[in-house]
Amino acid sequence: MFDLSLISSTLTALTPILFAALAGALCQRAGVFNISLEGTLLVGCFGAVAGSWYTGSAWLGVLIAVLASAAYSLILAVGSVTFGGDAIVVGVAANLLAIGLTSFLIRTVFGTEGAFSDPALAGLEPVFGQSLLVYVSWLAVAAFAVLLYRHPWGLRLRGVGERPLAATSLGVSVTKYRYWAIIAGGVLCGLGGAQLALGSVTLFAENMTAGRGWIAVVAVMLGRATPAGVLLAALLFGLAEALGFRLQGLGLPQQATDAAPYIVTLIALFASSRRQRVSTG
């Protein structure tokens, strides 16, 4: 059950969740509760496969995934920031749209249903057993920490999220900072989608994110939108997913092993809510 290969499996499972959780934490710091991570990840998966297929380059596929997810994140930005809509309602709508849109595109672009894979589809080459995006995700955690606590942009971003009226009185544009936070979150989700579609496997399947965006939302809540907290929460869920695959190899039903990350999610939410009740009581 526990050996060195489990570490590799955990890192592979962790990376899409970590990218999405960092995106959610960045938006949370700007005062936007981003619940559209699942749909933005899924768009990134499709963009990565489509870009890699048409260009023949995995890294151009990563670039197209980033651009597609960044553009898709504008749905949340326009709906919640410009028009003042409820971020949760807009985010849920964006998630549902992504499922339908990618299901439609896989039929029109690739002429197939369910899943698309081809031996000629270029995937990300491993470096020391992992794709480069795995290492980029850890660098992103460090960059997020420096940006949030050491850089003037990050300090203003925190001010926008915590005290928007005070930030406005100091000449800081709340709208601009929230737009940039959401778009940067889209970029991170694009990297996560590219890792999932070209690093973990080399294919696109309908709804292949399988709830990882929702798990990322929980990671943001558990980690309190801090870089270290989000990393630890994402590590927990990545380990649970890797153990689920390991248990499946030992003969347990797929349905039971697929539920492992969500069981851990429920336990973590219960523990977090209990801790908060104790601290406030």
Side-chain angles (χ1 to χ4, degrees):
M1 283 291 295
F2 299 94
D3 53 24
L4 290 178
S5 65
L6 180 63
I7 298 176
S8 178
S9 299
T10 300
L11 291 176
T12 301
L14 156 75
T15 303
I17 298 173
L18 180 57
F19 273 125
L22 288 174
L26 187 62
C27 294
Q28 186 79 8
R29 287 294 185 170
V32 179
F33 185 48
N34 189 347
I35 206 171
S36 66
L37 301 175
E38 177 81 359
T40 313
L41 263 180
L42 188 59
V43 170
C45 290
F46 183 86
V49 170
S52 177
W53 170 249
Y54 279 103
T55 65
S57 168
W59 287 107
L60 285 177
V62 173
L63 176 61
I64 292 173
V66 166
L67 294 176
S69 292
Y72 195 78
S73 68
L74 288 174
I75 294 176
L76 177 64
V78 173
S80 64
V81 179
T82 301
F83 292 108
D86 189 289
I88 294 179
V89 174
V90 177
V92 170
N95 288 335
L96 296 175
L97 175 62
I99 294 173
L101 180 63
T102 53
S103 297
F104 170 76
L105 289 176
I106 195 175
R107 290 165 173 79
T108 55
V109 174
F110 299 121
T112 186
E113 296 183 10
F116 170 77
S117 181
D118 191 280
L121 184 62
L124 295 171
E125 294 292 333
V127 178
F128 299 111
Q130 299 289 342
S131 79
L132 281 177
L133 291 181
V134 173
Y135 309 112
V136 170
S137 68
W138 289 77
L139 291 175
V141 175
F144 184 36
V146 172
L147 174 70
L148 204 59
Y149 299 110
R150 301 296 181 188
H151 197 276
W153 192 90
L155 297 175
R156 295 190 192 102
L157 182 75
R158 291 166 56 195
V160 165
E162 296 170 9
R163 297 288 188 272
L165 293 179
T168 301
S169 68
L170 294 173
V172 177
S173 173
V174 173
T175 298
K176 182 178 73 173
Y177 272 82
R178 287 180 174 173
Y179 255 84
W180 279 116
I182 294 172
I183 293 172
V187 170
L188 290 169
C189 284
L191 293 173
Q195 165 63 22
L196 186 59
L198 298 178
S200 302
V201 293
T202 311
L203 59 85
F204 177 80
E206 294 183 26
N207 202 22
M208 68 180 297
T209 47
R212 289 176 176 85
W214 296 105
I215 292 176
V217 172
V218 176
V220 174
M221 297 168 61
L222 291 179
R224 299 185 178 182
T226 63
V230 166
L231 174 60
L232 291 175
L235 267 173
L236 175 65
F237 298 129
L239 177 60
E241 183 176 336
L243 284 174
F245 285 123
R246 184 65 60 89
L247 291 171
Q248 185 177 332
L250 295 177
L252 287 182
Q254 179 182 352
Q255 292 80 0
T257 57
D258 286 347
Y262 308 105
I263 293 174
V264 172
T265 301
L266 290 174
I267 294 173
L269 283 174
F270 174 78
S272 177
S273 62
R274 182 177 177 82
R275 182 183 61 187
Q276 290 178 1
R277 285 199 300 268
V278 171
S279 63
T280 56

